[in-house]
Amino acid sequence: MKGILDRIEDERHAVILVEEEGIELVLPANRLPEGSQVNSWFTIDAENGQLAVTLDEETSKAKSGQAEELMTRLRTKKKGSRFKRK
């Protein structure tokens, strides 16, 4: 399954949102793979009763690119808006 790092609370707990399951995983922040940051995507597997969290750099880059593209379109749309601000 895939999940995104939503936030780190109190610099101790990482909150990962897992869309497929509709759940939040909370785990010690020090268990995150090196290079993890907010909005990083992970592949999450259960192995021997333990969760294995692996940084998914490909999905992270793709989703970041999609977000940037959306923001660019929204900014362009806003500039070209036919409505005037008061």
Side-chain angles (χ1 to χ4, degrees):
M1 66 187 147
K2 299 266 187 203
I4 185 171
L5 180 57
D6 182 56
R7 64 191 179 277
I8 297 179
E9 297 179 338
D10 301 326
E11 298 181 20
R12 297 184 343 200
H13 299 99
V15 180
I16 299 174
L17 304 179
V18 183
E19 284 184 30
E20 298 168 14
E21 305 295 325
I23 60 172
E24 288 185 354
L25 292 176
V26 179
L27 57 125
N30 63 3
R31 287 201 45 214
L32 292 174
E34 189 174 324
S36 300
Q37 56 188 5
V38 171
N39 295 325
S40 290
W41 282 83
F42 304 99
T43 300
I44 304 164
D45 295 303
E47 296 177 0
N48 301 323
Q50 297 280 327
L51 286 179
V53 179
T54 307
L55 187 59
D56 185 341
E57 293 182 37
E58 186 175 314
T59 300
S60 295
K61 287 178 185 176
K63 295 287 188 178
S64 177
Q66 290 172 356
E68 287 177 28
E69 182 179 311
L70 178 59
M71 290 302 293
T72 299
R73 283 189 292 173
L74 289 172
R75 286 185 192 109
T76 302
K77 187 175 182 177
K78 185 177 179 180
K79 287 179 185 177
S81 176
R82 61 183 177 179
F83 299 104
K84 294 184 180 181
R85 292 181 132 173
K86 292 184 179 182

